[in-house]
Amino acid sequence: MKSVIAEDLVKTYRDGEVRALDHLSLDVEEGTVLGVLGPNGAGKTTTVRILATLLKPDSGRAMVGGIDVIKHPDKVRQIIGLSGQYAAVDEILTGYDNLVMFGELYHLGKKQAVLRANELLERFSLTESAKRPIKTYSGGMRRRLDLAASLIVKPKVLFLDEPTTGLDPRGRLEMWGVIEDLVKGGTTLLLTTQYLEEADQLADEIAVIDHGKVIARGTSDVLKKQVGGERLEIVVEAAHIEKTQAIVSKVSGNKSSVDAGIRMVSAPVSTGATALIETLRELDAAGIHPLDVGLKRPSLDDVFLSLTGHIAEEKEEAK
Amino acid sequence: MSALLDIRIITQRQLRLLTRVPEVLIFSTIQPVMFVLLFRFVFGGSIDTGQPGGYVQLLMPGIFVQTVAFTLAGTASGLAEDLKKGLIDRFRSLPISPSALVVGRTLGDSMLNIVVLVVMALAGLAVGWRPSSGITKILIGFLFLFLFGYALSWVGIYVGLSVSDARVVQNVGFMVTFPLTFLSNAFAPTTGMPRLLQYFAEWNPVSTMVAGCRELFGLQNEFGATAGSFPSENPLLMSIVYMGLIMLIFIPLSVRKYKNASN
Ligand SMILES: Nc1ncnc2c1ncn2[C@@H]1O[C@H](COP(=O)(O)OP(=O)(O)O)[C@@H](O)[C@H]1O
Ligand SMILES: [Mg+2]
């Protein structure tokens, strides 16, 4: 069953001057994670806001949990959780106060709200800072609290808009851990991101969007295949570059290229690990000891490049 | 029923912001108290009111009204701030009615006025303000002041959502409030103004509020009465009409704007 369906969504701003969504369609299978991947200005936030009932599309249809978002926004709000692009919690209140307040607004009643708040604080390792105002929190703590606030009533469908943008690498890893745990619990998740590795890491399926349209979708493996197979990469001493190049070309059957700066010889290969082993054997026979070897699968950056013909460019984001 | 609960929660939230940021409470109280002292001692000596008890009797209602009028700017900038931070998105994604959210907010914001008015009244009493109409009328006077602040807080919602940069909102709030409070009978008689301004000042809701409060606090309304225009003759009635109009226009307008709010 599809938990989220968006069909032909169109949204324009400034009297049609800015076309944020241009017939965008996507869907999310129940219990899975869809990563919506696109550069700044691609239309990610607009999509999420429409699905979360905050914005009405100019045209198109959207269903969440089988409920029409445009016709019954109130019902949709009862089954979704949303964590926006900017951690939307009350800076002045403490983490605990925030969660209790939102719990009460979900009509849990004071007692339940307090229980749930403590439970969530514990789960997101925020118990120690629970009684401090949010303005003293780090970026990662804020995002975790924001996520906690969107989980108060165990939503059927969760929307996370760029959950790790602006976090340092450690904050990002923590957030990934938290999201992975959530997903194990069976939550249906639509997550947007500008980071290719993030979609790769967290999503079952990826929809690549650009200029308000879905330009490709599939599992990250499928998307990568679309770009071509793997690449063999070998780093050697400068003196061995030429010989290595000859070997790699011979094994791969493809023209190899050299990055002299990092002394890396590389070539596309279709046989993967077999090609790698054969190359190593030949290098060994020639008395060459590689400094580093690897089989590189194409990154999603490569995917974007090959899909759009341009690298992920940023559209100016109007505020 | 659950709407009432939501209103209470949001009202509490607004009030809690005040206790968590005592600066807001302190400065919103210090400023009017400073005005009381400045006007009382700087102008008090040179403005002849012809009233028993002197300038401070006329001054206090003026400063009361001016102070509650700033609720507009307070609500507007607080809302703009929340909008910018995405907090309004979060509130709007909850399964509760947007009206409850806005009502709670306006209520919470205007409750600040209760504290501020009490402190000002004490300051006034300390420098010679002596309302003479008896406790019931005095309390009705304060109820009027509270309601005026409440009505303006609805305008604040609209302003805050229309101009979504908190600093700009502050300035817009002051730009609206300052001329309105000074182009009135709050601090000086309107009789000395050029004809056109006088006309404006007499119809100005701030003037009708000030004149109304003066009446309720036991003064003859001489400072305000001028050409015998309708509002200066019937300040209480006109104040009620103005407050009713403001709410009639801005409650639906603000609620609708809130429903479609986006940052
Ligand atoms: N309120 C708005 N007014 C005008 N243009 C907007 C507004 N919100 C978004 N846009 C424009 O719509 C496009 C998509 O924006 P958005 O959905 O925020 O993209 P993303 O979240 O992928 O960065 C961008 O070109 C952006 O400038
Ligand atoms: Mg965005």
Side-chain angles (χ1 to χ4, degrees), chain A residues 44-45 85 161-162 317:
Chain A
K44 301 182 296 296
T45 299
Q85 189 168 352
D161 194 9
E162 300 198 23
E317 191 158 11

Side-chain angles (χ1 to χ4, degrees), chain A residues 165-298:
Chain A
T165 299
L167 297 189
D168 56 18
R170 195 179 130 213
R172 176 164 306 161
L173 281 180
E174 279 174 357
M175 197 69 187
W176 283 3
V178 165
I179 295 173
E180 276 167 348
D181 283 347
L182 259 180
V183 169
K184 272 187 220 136
T187 313
T188 306
L189 171 63
L190 186 152
L191 149 119
T192 78
T193 180
Q194 298 187 40
Y195 305 111
L196 310 154
E197 46 166 339
E198 183 161 291
D200 202 1
Q201 171 90 17
L202 298 174
D204 298 310
E205 231 193 332
I206 297 173
V208 185
I209 70 171
D210 191 30
H211 297 115
K213 272 202 248 293
V214 174
I215 53 171
R217 72 169 292 176
T219 61
S220 71
D221 283 344
V222 166
L223 288 179
K224 285 172 182 168
K225 287 248 170 60
Q226 220 165 319
V227 185
E230 295 150 318
R231 253 189 117 71
L232 179 62
E233 294 180 346
I234 299 194
V235 178
V236 292
E237 307 268 8
H240 297 142
I241 287 184
E242 253 176 69
K243 251 191 187 161
T244 308
Q245 209 184 346
I247 293 172
V248 170
S249 295
K250 192 181 103 199
V251 175
S252 69
N254 288 313
K255 196 169 153 347
S256 60
S257 51
V258 178
D259 185 333
I262 53 172
R263 304 184 312 275
M264 184 169 80
V265 178
S266 67
V269 290
S270 48
T271 49
T274 318
L276 178 65
I277 292 166
E278 198 175 327
T279 307
L280 286 178
R281 211 176 277 138
E282 296 236 354
L283 284 174
D284 195 41
I288 298 171
H289 297 289
L291 303 173
D292 194 11
V293 292
L295 204 51
K296 255 285 171 47
R297 318 190 66 194

Side-chain angles (χ1 to χ4, degrees), chain A:
Chain A
M1 211 189 80
K2 302 286 181 199
S3 280
V4 178
I5 304 173
E7 264 174 26
D8 258 337
L9 292 178
V10 175
K11 177 73 196 177
T12 58
Y13 290 110
R14 301 210 194 105
D15 301 319
E17 221 177 275
V18 180
R19 192 162 262 259
L21 297 187
D22 188 9
H23 299 280
L24 178 133
S25 302
L26 52 78
D27 51 65
V28 190
E29 184 69 29
E30 188 176 348
T32 69
V33 181
L34 177 72
V36 173
L37 172 68
N40 219 339
K44 301 182 296 296
T45 299
T46 306
T47 307
V48 167
R49 296 189 80 232
I50 288 175
L51 292 171
T53 77
L54 297 176
L55 196 66
K56 289 211 165 34
D58 300 348
S59 66
R61 214 167 64 97
M63 310 276 284
V64 171
I67 307 165
D68 191 312
V69 169
I70 298 148
K71 287 193 194 125
H72 304 289
D74 319 359
K75 286 192 189 136
V76 171
R77 285 181 199 133
Q78 288 173 3
I79 59 162
I80 59 167
L82 166 68
S83 172
Q85 189 168 352
Y86 307 97
V89 281
D90 210 318
E91 295 259 303
I92 294 160
L93 299 185
T94 64
Y96 172 83
D97 284 342
N98 262 289
L99 292 183
V100 173
M101 173 176 75
F102 287 119
E104 286 196 277
L105 288 173
Y106 275 111
H107 301 148
L108 293 186
K110 179 86 182 184
K111 220 168 130 200
Q112 271 311 109
V114 167
L115 278 176
R116 187 74 181 135
N118 286 326
E119 206 175 293
L120 287 165
L121 287 165
E122 183 72 45
R123 173 155 159 218
F124 291 107
S125 332
L126 289 167
T127 306
E128 259 169 57
S129 31
K131 303 277 168 155
R132 283 195 348 230
I134 306 289
K135 59 180 174 220
T136 66
Y137 282 27
S138 72
M141 288 160 72
R142 266 171 215 235
R143 302 268 0 190
R144 292 210 302 277
L145 189 82
D146 189 58
L147 182 58
S150 60
L151 294 176
I152 286 172
V153 289
K154 305 196 172 119
K156 280 205 192 120
V157 180
L158 183 63
F159 299 100
L160 300 181
D161 194 9
E162 300 198 23
T164 67
T165 299
L167 297 189
D168 56 18
R170 195 179 130 213
R172 176 164 306 161
L173 281 180
E174 279 174 357
M175 197 69 187
W176 283 3
V178 165
I179 295 173
E180 276 167 348
D181 283 347
L182 259 180
V183 169
K184 272 187 220 136
T187 313
T188 306
L189 171 63
L190 186 152
L191 149 119
T192 78
T193 180
Q194 298 187 40
Y195 305 111
L196 310 154
E197 46 166 339
E198 183 161 291
D200 202 1
Q201 171 90 17
L202 298 174
D204 298 310
E205 231 193 332
I206 297 173
V208 185
I209 70 171
D210 191 30
H211 297 115
K213 272 202 248 293
V214 174
I215 53 171
R217 72 169 292 176
T219 61
S220 71
D221 283 344
V222 166
L223 288 179
K224 285 172 182 168
K225 287 248 170 60
Q226 220 165 319
V227 185
E230 295 150 318
R231 253 189 117 71
L232 179 62
E233 294 180 346
I234 299 194
V235 178
V236 292
E237 307 268 8
H240 297 142
I241 287 184
E242 253 176 69
K243 251 191 187 161
T244 308
Q245 209 184 346
I247 293 172
V248 170
S249 295
K250 192 181 103 199
V251 175
S252 69
N254 288 313
K255 196 169 153 347
S256 60
S257 51
V258 178
D259 185 333
I262 53 172
R263 304 184 312 275
M264 184 169 80
V265 178
S266 67
V269 290
S270 48
T271 49
T274 318
L276 178 65
I277 292 166
E278 198 175 327
T279 307
L280 286 178
R281 211 176 277 138
E282 296 236 354
L283 284 174
D284 195 41
I288 298 171
H289 297 289
L291 303 173
D292 194 11
V293 292
L295 204 51
K296 255 285 171 47
R297 318 190 66 194
S299 76
L300 285 166
D301 267 321
D302 300 328
V303 174
F304 210 89
L305 185 59
S306 82
L307 286 171
T308 62
H310 59 83
I311 46 175
E313 70 188 75
E314 295 203 354
K315 266 212 280 181
E316 172 203 358
E317 191 158 11
K319 278 264 93 186

